[in-house]
Amino acid sequence: MGLFDRHAGLLDAYRDVRMTGADPFQIRMERVLSPTEAIINGKKTLLVGTNNYFGLTFDPSCMEAAIEAIRAEGTGTTGSRIANGSYSEHVALEQEIAEFYGKKHCMVFTTGYQANLGVISTLVGPDDFLLIDADSHASIYDACKQTQAEVVRFKHNDPSSLDARLRRLGDKPGNRLVVLEGIYSMLGDSAPLKEFIAVCKKYNAYVLIDEAHSLGALGEHGRGLCESAGVLDDCHFIVGTFSKTLGAIGGYCVSDDPDFDILRVTTRSYMFTASLPPSIVASVRQALRIVKAHPELRTKLWDNVAALYDGLAAQGFKLGPEHGPVVGVHLPDRMTAIGFWRAMLDAGVYVNVAVPPATPNGVSLLRCSVSAAHSHEQIAQMIDVMTGIGRQLGVLGNTPKLRVVGSSR
Amino acid sequence: MSDTHTGEPPLLRTAQNMIVENDDIADTIVLRRPPARAEVMAEICRQLEPFQADDGRAITGATVISKDLSIDSLAVMDMVMDLEDQFDVSIPMNVVAEIHTVDELADTILALSARR
């Protein structure tokens, strides 16, 4: 048996995808022009699938900060912080994020994936219990593979399902850690965090929330769902990423636990990988200043979300259950989703295609992510293109419907 | 499938839901008995029916869930969550990973219910 034989089923499925004439998993941006435009297949294309929620990737002050840092400290750190030491800027960034949340401690990771992977798998050990939402991100599932704790899944966004599972643990000794996400990356829906926190308190469970898609987007200061739900003090660990709203790459975890720093010498994804380069640290610090100083970006983002979500819903598209910076458009099956995606690209609009097994409940989606940098015209263009193709492909009826159709979940 | 199946968790028919009052705290206690094997098998088969192979082979205890049926790993885990709630047990993810056949799944549920 060959090494690749076990992937035979996936290879067949992938061949089907490529037969449509474009490979959504190997898209090439020939040139990125701005947070909302790139040249793809020789054509100027509108980007509605880049998680660039505040459009900061081309912010002049962030770019200047990165360039200055390269001149001052070079291109990379060439090693991990445990082996090669930290730069002052790593420590400054950690202090600034801790202050942003009003928490005592912060650890910065090289990616958001590594933050979840390392922190979650290390916080719980043998005889502990890890409880995760069924729709958790891959980084959380991978942490489940690494940890020695017992892992139990509960139904997506269902506090009563979590309650039942914590209740069944009874008086078994061992810590309980519950992992939630502020905004889920496929359908853009938020966790009912207040209700979840109440359940966690009832059973004395620790709470870790991943604010990857909600940093900047939610809360009066942009701290995420923990802030907008008014439960920041009840979230023992908050994880997030620099790769979305902050326009770079990297991850973090903040906490008030006095012994938090021990994770620096126990978390493998922190210890055994090179630390963030100075340019990234510098641009992230500047982007965080912008998030604090410009709440109007959040307003603009949600205005655009409302325009896109309501516009698509009015045309009769079946969408995720609520407004969110991610707008997931349900399509009947995998091949329709891929054909739809291809037609949109030909029409000059780039979105993400998400098909099983990467999606919850086996749904096929076009995943759109909205930016504060999108203009009204761009959002209108997006709705027009999508509606036209929806009619051509028979996904929409010919008469626009005015009812919003929520998710069936 | 079985007409008697109501979608409710198995309850002792003779038992009432008892309200225990303790000052300001009220808890509902539902008395349960461990389910019979036939009951567990019937429920698993009902859940798996939509994923039955095209050749019409019946689902039996020896059916290998990931191989003999058209069900992906995520759908298996979702089905397990439903079974967990039906029979009021939790099956840890690493235990699910080691379950191959319908019999093994039924045995796991029965063993966990007995330990409750």
Side-chain angles (χ1 to χ4, degrees), chain A residues 132 134 141 144 149-156 161 164-165 167-168 356-362, chain B residues 32 72-74 76-82 84-94 115-116:
Chain A
I132 67 163
Y141 273 100
C144 295
E150 203 170 286
V151 183
V152 174
R153 283 167 101 224
F154 55 88
K155 288 188 178 168
H156 175 58
S161 179
R165 280 150 183 79
R167 171 180 55 74
R168 284 177 207 143
T359 50
N361 302 319
Chain B
R32 291 163 187 276
D72 64 41
S73 56
L74 197 64
V76 170
M77 292 204 293
D78 288 343
M79 176 192 71
V80 165
M81 269 193 313
D82 281 335
E84 286 178 331
D85 292 332
Q86 295 266 347
F87 297 108
D88 201 33
V89 293
S90 292
I91 312 176
M93 264 171 67
N94 59 320
R115 220 180 295 162
R116 199 169 50 216

Side-chain angles (χ1 to χ4, degrees), chain A residues 178-189:
Chain A
V178 174
V179 176
L180 305 163
E181 293 180 45
I183 291 177
Y184 284 83
S185 66
M186 286 295 149
L187 292 166
D189 50 333

Side-chain angles (χ1 to χ4, degrees), chain A residues 5-283:
Chain A
D5 289 358
R6 79 178 53 142
H7 302 299
L10 197 56
L11 279 167
D12 284 345
Y14 198 8
R15 206 165 293 130
D16 286 349
V17 168
R18 279 188 286 200
M19 266 171 49
T20 62
D23 183 344
F25 308 116
Q26 290 197 42
I27 193 84
R28 188 185 310 163
M29 312 239 168
E30 284 135 29
R31 210 173 140 224
V32 178
L33 304 171
S34 74
T36 60
E37 285 180 322
I39 305 287
I40 301 176
N41 298 331
K43 201 162 83 182
K44 196 190 252 194
T45 303
L46 173 61
L47 302 176
V48 196
T50 57
N51 307 320
N52 200 346
Y53 300 126
F54 277 18
L56 295 183
T57 46
F58 280 78
D59 179 88
S61 67
C62 293
M63 292 198 293
E64 281 312 315
I67 292 163
E68 249 175 64
I70 287 187
R71 292 200 198 287
E73 305 203 277
T75 52
T77 66
T78 64
S80 90
R81 291 174 61 184
I82 294 302
N84 296 33
S86 296
Y87 289 25
S88 307
E89 284 71 17
H90 290 128
V91 179
L93 174 59
E94 287 178 338
Q95 282 167 353
E96 285 160 11
I97 296 168
E99 275 165 30
F100 178 63
Y101 282 100
K103 298 271 187 194
K104 290 195 182 76
H105 306 281
C106 173
M107 254 172 93
V108 160
F109 292 76
T110 307
T111 67
Y113 172 89
Q114 287 164 319
N116 267 342
L117 182 72
V119 170
I120 295 168
S121 64
T122 310
L123 280 174
V124 281
D127 303 324
D128 288 336
F129 299 93
L130 179 58
L131 297 107
I132 67 163
D133 185 287
D135 286 5
S136 289
H137 186 259
S139 54
I140 296 168
Y141 273 100
D142 289 358
C144 295
K145 285 187 186 169
Q146 277 202 7
T147 185
Q148 290 179 280
E150 203 170 286
V151 183
V152 174
R153 283 167 101 224
F154 55 88
K155 288 188 178 168
H156 175 58
N157 274 356
D158 185 345
S160 69
S161 179
L162 172 65
D163 189 305
R165 280 150 183 79
L166 284 167
R167 171 180 55 74
R168 284 177 207 143
L169 292 178
D171 52 7
K172 283 187 195 170
N175 297 302
R176 284 95 167 115
L177 177 67
V178 174
V179 176
L180 305 163
E181 293 180 45
I183 291 177
Y184 284 83
S185 66
M186 286 295 149
L187 292 166
D189 50 333
S190 283
L193 189 56
K194 256 195 148 121
E195 292 81 355
F196 271 127
I197 294 280
V199 173
C200 292
K201 280 186 170 171
K202 181 173 159 193
Y203 294 98
N204 217 2
Y206 291 96
V207 179
L208 180 147
I209 181 158
D210 177 2
E211 301 275 13
H213 292 271
S214 36
L215 170 64
L218 293 176
E220 200 190 332
H221 301 90
R223 294 172 187 138
L225 183 65
C226 58
E227 183 182 20
S228 61
V231 292
L232 205 142
D233 292 342
D234 297 314
C235 295
H236 304 92
F237 304 94
I238 301 166
V239 174
T241 178
F242 304 145
S243 65
K244 296 175 171 62
T245 297
L246 300 182
I249 190 168
Y252 61 86
C253 179
V254 296
S255 174
D256 272 333
D257 195 294
D259 295 324
F260 184 70
D261 272 344
I262 197 66
L263 291 180
R264 291 186 199 274
V265 290
T266 50
T267 303
R268 300 175 68 82
S269 69
Y270 176 86
M271 298 161 68
F272 299 108
T273 196
S275 60
L276 283 174
S279 53
I280 299 294
V281 175
S283 79

Side-chain angles (χ1 to χ4, degrees), chain B residues 105-116:
Chain B
L105 179 54
D107 291 341
T108 303
I109 292 170
L110 288 165
L112 287 168
S113 321
R115 220 180 295 162
R116 199 169 50 216

